[in-house]
Amino acid sequence: MTTEVGSETEVKKDSEQAGADKAKDKPEEASDTPENQKSRKASSEEALDSSSVPVPTSQSSPRSQKKEKDSSESKGISRFLPPWLKKQKSYTLSEPKDEAKKKAVGEDQAIEESECQLPGEVAQPKRSLEEAATENQHNAKADEKEEKHSVSSAETQPAKEDGKEMEVEKVAEEKEKQVEKEKRETKEVQTGEIKMENIPQKSPKKIKTVQCKVVLLDGTEYSCDIEKRAKGQLLFDRVCEHLNLLEKDYFGLLFYENSDQKNWLDPSKEIKRQIRSLPWLFTFNVKFYPPDPSQLTEDITRYFLCLQLRQDIASGRLPCSFVTHALLGSYTLQAELGDHDPEEHCSDYINEFQFAPNQTQEMEEKVVELHKTHRGLTPAQADSQFLENAKRLSMYGVDLHHAKDSEGVDIMLGVCANGLLIYKDRLRINRFAWPKILKISYKRSNFYIKVRPAELEQFESTIGFKLPNHRAAKRLWKVCVEHHTFFRLISPEQPPKAKFLTLGSKFRYSGRTQAQTQQASNLIDRPAPYFERTSSKRISRSLDGAPIRISDQSLLRDFPTARGGPAGDKVIDIEGAGQAKLKEGSREENGSPVKTPQLELIQDGKSNSLRVDGENIYVRHSNLMLEDLDKTQDDLLKHQASISELKRNFMESTPEPRPNEWEKRRIAPLSLPAPGRHGSRKEGPCAGVSDADKSSHETLDIVEEKKQAEVGREETVVIDETNKGKMQVATDAGETCKVEHLSKKDSSSLPSDSSSSSSSESEDEEVGEYHPHHRAIEEVIREEQEEEDDTNRKKEHEEKIMQHVEATAEGSKLNVPAEHTAKVTAESLVQENAVTIATEEKNFSEEMKQDLGEEKEEEQLRLNGDVSHVDIDVAPQIICCSEPPVVKTEMVTISDAAQRTEISTKEVPIVQTETKTITYESPQFDGSTSGNAGVLLSAQTITSESISTTTTTHITKMVKGGVSETRIEKRIVITGDADIDHDEALAQAIKEAKEQHPDMSVTRVVVHKETELAEEDEE
Amino acid sequence: MAAPGALGRYSHAVVRALPEVPGAAGPGGPLDLAKAQRQLGVFTGILRQPLGLQVVALPPAAPCAVLLEDLAVLQGDTALLTRPWEPARRDELGSVRAVLEELRLRVVAVTDEGATLDGSDVLFTGREFFVGISRWTNHRGAEMVADTFRDFAVSTVPVGGGGHLKSFCSMAAPDTIAIGSSEAARHAMKAMEQLSDHGYGRLSVPDDPAGNCLFARLGAGGCALVHRSPEEFPQSLQPFQKLPGCTLVPASCSEVAKLGGALSSCALLVNTRPEA
């Protein structure tokens, strides 16, 4: 027995590590359905079996004497206790929590988890104290990870431990009870220590915890211990969990700097790097005010929004008229107190409420009067009414910042969902909607926006504001970046990857966008959670659920407990949403080929991804994004279902990243220094750098626009795909939309690499730029050097454009044809591909490593991002055919990059793809290729789809050299398997395009065909 | 908080008759008293029928006192008494306050001594306010509007050409702004479009004065638009005819215009049941 256990210990360590790795590798797994988890567990157990290499018991760092003593004592005692006694004891200690846990956690899951941990735990008796401690650390860590995604998770460390014990107990029935119990005993001791002394335990990773306090919206305080090196996300997730809040993307944690300057905690960064002083004190607040709160899925979310707004109103941040104060106050009363009851509610019953900064008797009377009229409204209905009225207030969701204009006049800059508002006193004196803003930047204490030229104007203008100090400027800039991303984009763009030194901020919003969060919350499928309204102990009735009587207040407080609900229904949290999607996806995959009504014929994920990407584009370009959202969303949802599944596969099998041009572009600077780029790098910090930053798609569009503006040109891009197996890739594309779409990533990383000026995540960057649109359309991020002055800027700009072109040439097939028509040969492409693949692989693993230390979610995002490159690329690889007005085909570039990607990673399936790109281009192009950028007048994107095709029409109007031209670009994605006659479909598409615009000529047709070659065979 | 759709709902109209003093003149020339009274009479009649409003007539004062719109900004249950640029006109405020209070409005007055504000520089679109910064209205006057109607965005619009904001524009329908075609008008329109979160329709009329019209909802659910008569501005009739489902009611206003007024200047329109 002894020996056995010993070996197991070692093995266990191993497996645990592996488990951790695994978790990293497959972040989405964590959010998997139980079944999935099962399989994962299984695999990790396999790993366990196979890995018999003893790992030296790590111990090293001296532990505190006291601790050692304590634990050894208890351990000693426990040794002598009969198992049943011990068991009992532990039960007593942890019972209440266990109960809670059991309720919350699905049985499956509990077992799974415990299984995972079991080996180590069994081994414990044998271990030295140090080992145990380490173990504990490991477990704790693993747990944390797990916890983030697990449905029920504990609020604090101790709770976690308890949970573990519970699981262990379950397992105990299957395993040797005795040993197990002993182990448990040990654990308890450890837990106790963590709790009581909060002593930083030393482990190989030196984990220290810090106490965080978070003031919640109802005024209560939540505190927890958090790893000192934890990122903001971890804390935020804990808080949301405590609040039982799923739609959490609208919220954030604020901390105050110098008492009055509020900063949002960046979830992607370590807390300690953001908040320098102890104690760690935060407030939980609404960060993005949903323009239409009725679209929130859950009442509980609306409730928190109400709380925030009540605060905003009472503090005067959200100004209201007298009547509105009274009206909103009356809804508050209705929500908190229920129907007006003349007996119970005597005249002073509202004294405890503050409805306005200056509350008068008259107002209170009015409130009561209105309260009487709301009879019968449930709290949830009252909240909804409250929000319906509050959302119409002109300052709703406007984040104000003090500034001075160029003449030194005091103004306020208000950032909101629609753009940037300029106030002088209370008057709105200007407004810049997001679509109008081309670039947002800051330098020292100055904040700049570059604005699209107005009608008939030729040039963009840059408007500068003076902020009180550098930090304020940066704060404003960040808020702008975040709001723009959240409200205007389908998916966030990825921060530039800082590999080298670059000046300037790398900051990007990394959370979900509104589109994504709405999508995710559509999948929330839990009984309406119960929550207690601040001042009422009443039943929380919800619009969507039956009234529930809450007998014990403590239950309410203890969210994890309440969560499971009487029904014991499975609670899906945001991550859970992902799970749901996964499930769906797998179901669909396994089951019928028909995924969703809309996707019926589009069976391969890739096409989906293409479509999604396309949508990204138009959305980005379209001013109508918010309005269009609904339509898109459905599709996205569907994608996600299948995509997540695919993504999982992808993760598990370590993708064979399908090298695509974009990928190449991204990586090129690293592996294959591109001459052009290097050159530009030398030119200076400003050189073109950032331009590269655009997402591939956007780059694409832009380049085309710039280079090709020709009068009345029409372009048809047809994507013809026949790859079914490719789904993985496609999947990821879809992923794009889902969690963190990294389409931007390529671009961002690219630029920074190429510019390579400097980087460093330091908080003190002096400058930062953000391009909500590139030129007219797009978002670019550029890092600027401080010295750069305005003169430089212009030059820079030019360089930028050039750089742009260059980058394009290197990277993308699509662009290449457009610009230097047939210069890139198939050969070179192939070569590049090969390189790319290798690099990609490397990157991938690197990233994984890096991520190890990070939270799961983060990782997930990142990984996804990588993946998404893949899909992205797929899309652009598409096909370009351009034809002269008379269908004379001047140039034909056929690049047949049949890529054989063999990546030897553990479980990498080998996928072969064949990609064909054919470009027909009209000679006229060359003239326009010279790079004279016209001035963009307007851009518009329309999408339509039929069963097997998706057509994206992008209409751009440019003024170039006094001639205005309209360019229509159609991207038609034809999806299906071999059954569809792609050629015919293509011909049809071109014909249609011609018919639709008889007065225009077709200048270019790019056909991109992707076929998958027997993927299954390889396996 | 005005629900969308509240625009044009009125219950009362406050008007003032012209004094029986011959020889009155405005910036636009000498007044034909008889004609002016006839026009005002017709206008008042329109307010009664078809608009169906209860008309409250104030006793005559100075000739320009007929331009009641300058004296108050009304929205919902709140009335802001302005501080007209012409000091002489501030004496007219008392009677207006009295009648508005009688109508149970919450009456607020501009207290800022440095503020000047003419009501005809204030355009309420149903969703927000635009305040023309003109000869008559300064920034601080606009602030008073913002201070009073806090639910709404209040944006300032530079007004060129020496007139008021509402000399060339008004609401022709919900979310539709009637606008003249002068340079000043086009500039102002552009500014408003830029400043607003809402997309307003634009009803362009060739003549600036015709841009000032009066939209009102009728009890039966229809709506009416009182506009300058085709006799005055024949070319501006056609654009109004494009408005769907709206009863067009022509009215002449040439004499009052000599005082610097427009159609909407001649009445304060009140809704005593804003919540209904």
Side-chain angles (χ1 to χ4, degrees):
Chain A
M1 168 90 193
T2 319
T3 359
E4 209 178 312
V5 173
S7 75
E8 240 180 318
T9 306
E10 283 148 11
V11 167
K12 192 271 162 167
K13 285 209 144 168
D14 224 27
S15 76
E16 227 177 57
Q17 282 286 16
D21 282 358
K22 268 222 137 112
K24 291 291 173 181
D25 295 356
K26 308 161 193 170
E28 82 288 6
E29 282 236 310
S31 59
D32 263 356
T33 54
E35 300 95 278
N36 288 335
Q37 270 178 5
K38 221 175 256 168
S39 67
R40 167 160 60 98
K41 260 40 195 244
S43 71
S44 79
E45 269 176 0
E46 271 171 29
L48 184 141
D49 290 343
S50 60
S51 70
S52 50
V53 188
V55 174
T57 43
S58 73
Q59 256 7 288
S60 38
S61 20
R63 244 141 267 272
S64 84
Q65 282 294 344
K66 178 174 179 285
K67 198 197 230 166
E68 201 164 341
K69 226 188 198 167
D70 281 354
S71 10
S72 73
E73 257 171 34
S74 66
K75 191 176 175 186
I77 292 170
S78 70
R79 266 205 187 121
F80 297 107
L81 288 176
W84 56 268
L85 182 54
K86 270 176 256 164
K87 181 164 186 177
Q88 239 178 15
K89 189 178 166 193
S90 70
Y91 259 122
T92 0
L93 283 175
S94 57
E95 195 144 26
K97 290 248 161 137
D98 284 356
E99 287 303 320
K101 278 272 150 166
K102 260 177 212 155
K103 252 183 213 158
V105 186
E107 296 251 302
D108 288 359
Q109 209 170 340
I111 291 170
E112 309 293 349
E113 270 173 44
S114 52
E115 264 172 17
C116 190
Q117 285 152 3
L118 190 64
E121 301 178 343
V122 170
Q124 204 146 358
K126 247 255 147 167
R127 265 182 255 150
S128 72
L129 268 181
E130 283 83 0
E131 272 179 85
T134 315
E135 189 68 41
N136 227 348
Q137 288 288 341
H138 277 287
N139 286 346
K141 258 193 109 176
D143 256 13
E144 246 163 53
K145 302 239 154 90
E146 209 70 46
E147 174 194 355
K148 285 193 54 164
H149 298 270
S150 83
V151 172
S152 74
S153 43
E155 324 85 70
T156 57
Q157 290 267 15
K160 247 177 272 163
E161 298 288 343
D162 287 345
K164 199 177 292 167
E165 274 164 27
M166 188 260 315
E167 292 148 15
V168 169
E169 276 160 25
K170 286 194 171 180
V171 179
E173 290 155 21
E174 307 160 21
K175 307 270 175 171
E176 303 135 313
K177 289 180 182 173
Q178 204 171 353
V179 182
E180 210 246 319
K181 269 163 229 153
E182 274 177 0
K183 177 231 101 212
R184 206 190 309 129
E185 202 67 31
T186 315
K187 279 212 146 189
E188 255 154 39
V189 173
Q190 299 256 339
T191 312
E193 277 197 6
I194 293 169
K195 199 182 206 161
M196 296 179 325
E197 307 181 36
N198 195 10
I199 289 175
Q201 295 186 350
K202 284 190 187 164
S203 72
K205 292 205 171 167
K206 263 197 179 177
I207 297 170
K208 299 181 175 184
T209 63
V210 177
Q211 199 186 37
C212 295
K213 290 189 174 171
V214 182
V215 179
L216 304 176
L217 285 167
D218 60 2
T220 59
E221 191 179 274
Y222 165 76
S223 61
C224 67
D225 290 324
I226 206 148
E227 230 181 278
K228 196 176 180 190
R229 290 169 53 199
K231 301 204 165 180
Q233 187 71 42
L234 182 62
L235 177 61
F236 180 67
D237 287 344
R238 289 233 195 136
V239 174
C240 291
E241 205 167 299
H242 171 76
L243 293 171
N244 202 11
L245 175 65
L246 298 193
E247 295 175 281
K248 55 191 177 183
D249 301 289
Y250 300 95
F251 301 83
L253 294 175
L254 271 181
F255 60 93
Y256 288 81
E257 201 178 23
N258 303 330
S259 77
D260 61 330
Q261 301 186 324
K262 50 174 200 160
N263 293 278
W264 290 106
L265 182 68
D266 185 342
S268 64
K269 286 193 186 160
E270 291 180 13
I271 299 171
K272 72 173 159 92
R273 307 191 117 218
Q274 305 179 61
I275 182 165
R276 300 273 157 95
S277 59
L278 290 168
W280 284 3
L281 183 60
F282 302 91
T283 59
F284 179 79
N285 290 95
V286 173
K287 186 176 191 180
F288 304 112
Y289 290 73
D292 186 1
S294 66
Q295 288 190 359
L296 294 175
T297 299
E298 295 200 299
D299 289 336
I300 191 170
T301 317
R302 270 187 286 272
Y303 170 64
F304 289 127
L305 179 57
C306 280
L307 289 181
Q308 175 71 66
L309 288 166
R310 284 169 199 160
Q311 246 178 50
D312 292 346
I313 291 168
S315 68
R317 263 197 306 274
L318 180 56
C320 299
S321 66
F322 175 89
V323 198
T324 305
H325 275 309
L327 183 63
L328 294 180
S330 66
Y331 284 122
T332 301
L333 286 188
Q334 181 70 24
E336 296 286 351
L337 304 177
D339 293 345
H340 182 264
D341 179 349
E343 287 172 18
E344 186 185 339
H345 300 152
C346 42
S347 61
D348 60 344
Y349 77 110
I350 58 172
N351 283 352
E352 55 189 288
F353 292 93
Q354 195 186 0
F355 306 113
N358 307 305
Q359 194 162 320
T360 60
Q361 182 74 29
E362 186 193 4
M363 184 179 293
E364 290 181 0
E365 283 164 11
K366 184 78 177 169
V367 170
V368 175
E369 182 190 323
L370 291 170
H371 180 197
K372 292 174 186 165
T373 67
H374 302 324
R375 181 165 296 280
L377 287 189
T378 65
Q381 286 169 333
D383 279 349
S384 293
Q385 286 300 313
F386 179 96
L387 293 175
E388 281 309 294
N389 284 280
K391 76 173 188 195
R392 284 196 237 131
L393 295 168
S394 81
M395 298 303 284
Y396 172 83
V398 179
D399 187 30
L400 287 177
H401 299 252
H402 287 279
K404 289 184 195 302
D405 66 10
S406 53
E407 287 157 13
V409 177
D410 281 318
I411 54 169
M412 300 283 269
L413 300 181
V415 185
C416 66
N418 295 328
L420 191 61
L421 303 167
I422 319 291
Y423 294 90
K424 180 157 184 277
D425 304 307
R426 292 196 169 182
L427 297 169
R428 189 187 284 184
I429 57 174
N430 213 338
R431 170 180 172 273
F432 301 98
W434 292 127
K436 281 214 152 191
I437 300 178
L438 296 173
K439 187 176 88 175
I440 311 165
S441 59
Y442 71 96
K443 192 161 78 174
R444 298 203 200 89
S445 60
N446 295 309
F447 174 79
Y448 301 98
I449 53 175
K450 186 193 268 179
V451 184
R452 194 187 291 261
E455 271 173 77
L456 309 177
E457 277 175 28
Q458 200 85 8
F459 302 105
E460 312 154 335
S461 48
T462 297
I463 302 167
F465 303 95
K466 180 92 178 159
L467 276 286
N469 55 50
H470 161 64
R471 295 187 80 86
K474 185 180 178 188
R475 215 167 24 237
L476 170 59
W477 177 80
K478 272 182 152 183
V479 169
C480 285
V481 170
E482 291 176 330
H483 274 72
H484 173 264
T485 309
F486 187 80
F487 290 111
R488 295 281 311 168
L489 300 188
I490 280 271
S491 57
E493 85 182 305
Q494 215 41 21
K497 266 227 170 98
K499 299 278 196 243
F500 304 106
L501 295 177
T502 5
L503 272 191
S505 172
K506 295 274 173 308
F507 174 81
R508 289 299 174 270
Y509 175 65
S510 59
R512 283 198 250 220
T513 63
Q514 177 172 249
Q516 290 170 333
T517 194
Q518 282 178 349
Q519 206 176 298
S521 41
N522 283 343
L523 297 174
I524 291 178
D525 179 24
R526 65 174 181 183
Y530 325 121
F531 53 93
E532 181 191 18
R533 283 177 160 76
T534 340
S535 63
S536 66
K537 313 284 183 269
R538 302 170 52 255
I539 301 164
S540 154
R541 282 176 291 176
S542 89
L543 287 172
D544 43 5
I548 284 124
R549 195 162 294 275
I550 291 154
S551 48
D552 183 352
Q553 197 174 326
S554 66
L555 274 183
L556 289 172
R557 296 273 175 210
D558 193 358
F559 277 118
T561 312
R563 232 186 204 199
D569 280 8
K570 193 173 155 214
V571 178
I572 300 174
D573 78 352
I574 297 239
E575 259 69 46
Q579 293 179 11
K581 280 176 224 154
L582 274 179
K583 245 199 251 160
E584 272 176 42
S586 52
R587 229 185 282 133
E588 282 162 9
E589 259 208 334
N590 301 338
S592 74
V594 180
K595 282 181 186 163
T596 58
Q598 293 199 1
L599 292 182
E600 275 174 324
L601 288 186
I602 309 183
Q603 291 175 356
D604 62 274
K606 191 183 285 170
S607 62
N608 295 350
S609 72
L610 285 178
R611 199 177 22 186
V612 172
D613 286 349
E615 276 159 7
N616 277 344
I617 300 174
Y618 10 110
V619 170
R620 275 172 219 277
H621 297 186
S622 152
N623 300 354
L624 301 176
M625 175 207 157
L626 292 175
E627 293 86 43
D628 285 344
L629 219 53
D630 288 346
K631 189 176 112 203
T632 341
Q633 246 170 288
D634 274 348
D635 296 346
L636 291 183
L637 274 179
K638 280 153 200 162
H639 284 316
Q640 277 179 14
S642 58
I643 280 159
S644 339
E645 171 63 18
L646 291 173
K647 186 183 71 182
R648 214 196 53 217
N649 290 342
F650 175 81
M651 290 306 203
E652 267 166 4
S653 56
T654 309
E656 53 38 292
R658 221 290 247 338
N660 31 23
E661 301 313 311
W662 298 105
E663 198 72 58
K664 267 184 261 163
R665 269 190 57 187
R666 188 173 73 90
I667 291 159
L670 296 175
S671 52
L672 290 180
R677 203 165 271 149
H678 274 285
S680 69
R681 191 187 294 179
K682 273 173 194 151
E683 279 167 20
C686 332
V689 176
S690 23
D691 320 340
D693 277 290
K694 302 126 209 178
S695 87
S696 37
H697 284 326
E698 288 176 346
T699 309
L700 170 91
D701 292 342
I702 289 154
V703 172
E704 284 177 3
E705 265 163 28
K706 281 195 189 148
K707 303 293 154 185
Q708 317 172 342
E710 212 55 298
V711 184
R713 173 159 6 114
E714 178 173 317
E715 230 177 89
T716 311
V717 181
V718 180
I719 303 167
D720 184 348
E721 294 175 285
T722 325
N723 44 339
K724 263 220 169 177
K726 236 353 187 232
M727 291 190 90
Q728 296 172 337
V729 176
T731 310
D732 299 323
E735 185 56 29
T736 307
C737 321
K738 179 190 156 197
V739 183
E740 290 261 290
H741 154 105
L742 306 189
S743 70
K744 287 282 169 169
K745 194 172 183 182
D746 327 45
S747 47
S748 38
S749 59
L750 184 57
S752 52
D753 291 343
S754 62
S755 66
S756 88
S757 9
S758 69
S759 86
S760 88
E761 298 247 346
S762 96
E763 278 284 308
D764 297 321
E765 316 92 351
E766 287 285 303
V767 294
E769 290 197 7
Y770 177 77
H771 296 232
H773 315 266
H774 168 56
R775 286 271 317 75
I777 296 168
E778 175 73 5
E779 323 215 348
V780 188
I781 293 143
R782 195 154 58 118
E783 313 298 337
E784 261 181 81
Q785 291 232 338
E786 227 194 327
E787 311 88 65
E788 167 202 60
D789 54 27
D790 285 336
T791 353
N792 267 349
R793 271 199 185 182
K794 256 186 197 161
K795 197 174 143 202
E796 209 181 331
H797 192 62
E798 285 167 11
E799 279 170 347
K800 218 202 261 183
I801 295 169
M802 293 301 294
Q803 171 72 12
H804 207 43
V805 176
E806 278 168 13
T808 319
E810 290 164 30
S812 80
K813 272 181 214 165
L814 223 172
N815 291 334
V816 171
E819 286 160 27
H820 319 285
T821 323
K823 284 186 189 160
V824 180
T825 65
E827 227 180 60
S828 74
L829 280 179
V830 172
Q831 256 183 16
E832 260 184 36
N833 283 347
V835 173
T836 313
I837 294 165
T839 321
E840 169 74 349
E841 196 45 3
K842 198 173 131 211
N843 272 4
F844 202 69
S845 54
E846 264 177 21
E847 238 167 69
M848 285 179 179
K849 262 188 239 156
Q850 281 179 6
D851 290 345
L852 269 185
E854 303 177 3
E855 325 162 7
K856 231 178 194 179
E857 192 159 315
E858 262 267 313
E859 291 164 8
Q860 187 174 356
L861 295 179
R862 260 223 245 171
L863 288 178
N864 289 345
D866 278 352
V867 175
S868 71
H869 294 306
V870 176
D871 31 38
I872 289 169
D873 307 0
V874 174
Q877 274 183 6
I878 308 172
I879 299 161
C880 298
C881 305
S882 51
E883 305 172 36
V886 194
V887 192
K888 176 180 18 167
T889 307
E890 259 305 302
M891 284 191 208
V892 179
T893 310
I894 303 181
S895 42
D896 187 345
Q899 308 159 354
R900 278 226 153 202
T901 323
E902 289 198 23
I903 298 168
S904 51
T905 321
K906 308 158 204 169
E907 316 129 324
V908 182
I910 297 160
V911 179
Q912 295 182 341
T913 11
E914 189 183 50
T915 314
K916 265 188 200 169
T917 303
I918 305 168
T919 306
Y920 308 91
E921 200 159 45
S922 88
Q924 301 176 335
F925 253 28
D926 295 336
S928 59
T929 325
S930 56
N932 280 335
V935 178
L936 183 72
L937 277 187
S938 68
Q940 186 187 8
T941 308
I942 303 159
T943 317
S944 64
E945 45 189 85
S946 67
I947 303 174
S948 61
T949 62
T950 303
T951 307
T952 307
T953 310
H954 186 68
I955 304 173
T956 329
K957 288 191 180 160
M958 310 269 294
V959 175
K960 206 174 94 185
V963 184
S964 108
E965 65 188 37
T966 305
R967 204 171 61 80
I968 300 178
E969 181 183 336
K970 288 202 180 221
R971 174 167 301 150
I972 303 164
V973 182
I974 305 170
T975 330
D977 12 357
D979 303 342
I980 298 178
D981 184 341
H982 295 271
D983 293 332
E984 196 192 320
L986 171 61
Q988 180 65 24
I990 295 173
K991 193 176 149 220
E992 273 174 19
K994 279 186 194 158
E995 279 167 5
Q996 280 169 12
H997 309 279
D999 51 338
M1000 303 182 84
S1001 54
V1002 177
T1003 52
R1004 201 164 68 133
V1005 179
V1006 182
V1007 181
H1008 181 82
K1009 189 166 188 172
E1010 258 175 70
T1011 322
E1012 177 128 304
L1013 301 178
E1015 179 187 2
E1016 276 82 12
D1017 300 349
E1018 301 274 354
E1019 289 175 29
Chain B
M1 169 120 328
L7 183 79
R9 278 196 203 289
Y10 307 111
S11 58
H12 293 72
V14 182
V15 298
R16 196 193 294 268
L18 274 168
E20 300 279 351
V21 185
L31 217 57
D32 177 340
L33 187 61
K35 193 176 175 191
Q37 283 176 327
R38 204 165 48 244
Q39 287 178 351
L40 264 183
V42 171
F43 180 69
T44 309
I46 290 170
L47 294 177
R48 289 204 174 88
Q49 203 55 253
L51 299 198
L53 306 180
Q54 285 204 31
V55 174
V56 181
L58 294 176
C64 60
V66 293
L67 309 178
L68 280 171
E69 189 188 31
D70 283 334
L71 301 180
V73 179
L74 304 177
Q75 195 284 312
D77 68 342
T78 306
L80 171 68
L81 292 181
T82 63
R83 196 163 181 280
W85 176 78
E86 278 178 71
R89 296 206 58 190
R90 294 176 197 158
D91 299 337
E92 302 163 15
L93 291 169
S95 53
V96 174
R97 173 189 279 270
V99 72
L100 293 180
E101 280 176 348
E102 200 162 306
L103 291 170
R104 318 270 313 258
L105 294 183
R106 299 172 45 77
V107 180
V108 183
V110 170
T111 48
D112 184 345
E113 295 292 312
T116 63
L117 174 67
D118 267 17
S120 41
D121 272 322
V122 181
L123 173 67
F124 178 63
T125 67
R127 299 177 180 273
E128 64 193 313
F129 284 95
F130 293 106
V131 181
I133 301 300
S134 66
R135 237 186 95 192
W136 324 90
T137 299
N138 63 16
H139 195 84
R140 290 168 74 174
E143 270 174 49
M144 295 309 294
V145 178
D147 251 3
T148 307
F149 303 101
R150 297 189 175 200
D151 294 351
F152 298 95
V154 178
S155 308
T156 56
V157 182
V159 175
H164 287 96
L165 176 62
K166 286 177 85 172
S167 300
F168 50 74
C169 71
S170 60
M171 297 310 289
D175 293 336
T176 303
I177 297 176
I179 185 83
S181 297
S182 70
E183 177 118 336
R186 279 186 285 114
H187 269 125
M189 188 63 200
K190 221 169 144 188
M192 290 192 283
E193 282 172 348
Q194 153 101 19
L195 283 160
S196 175
D197 292 327
H198 308 287
Y200 293 108
R202 197 199 276 223
L203 184 79
S204 291
V205 293
D207 309 291
D208 267 10
N212 181 294
C213 51
L214 211 155
F215 171 81
R217 291 183 192 273
L218 304 179
C223 57
L225 188 72
V226 187
H227 63 96
R228 295 296 286 269
S229 64
E231 291 77 38
E232 295 174 289
F233 301 103
Q235 305 202 328
S236 293
L237 176 64
Q238 202 197 356
F240 289 121
Q241 290 172 333
K242 287 188 225 152
L243 286 173
C246 208
T247 311
L248 295 183
V249 186
S252 294
C253 191
S254 58
E255 295 306 309
V256 172
K258 290 179 184 171
L259 295 169
L263 271 183
S264 67
S265 309
C266 302
L268 275 178
L269 300 180
V270 180
N271 186 6
T272 54
R273 306 180 302 270
E275 278 140 39

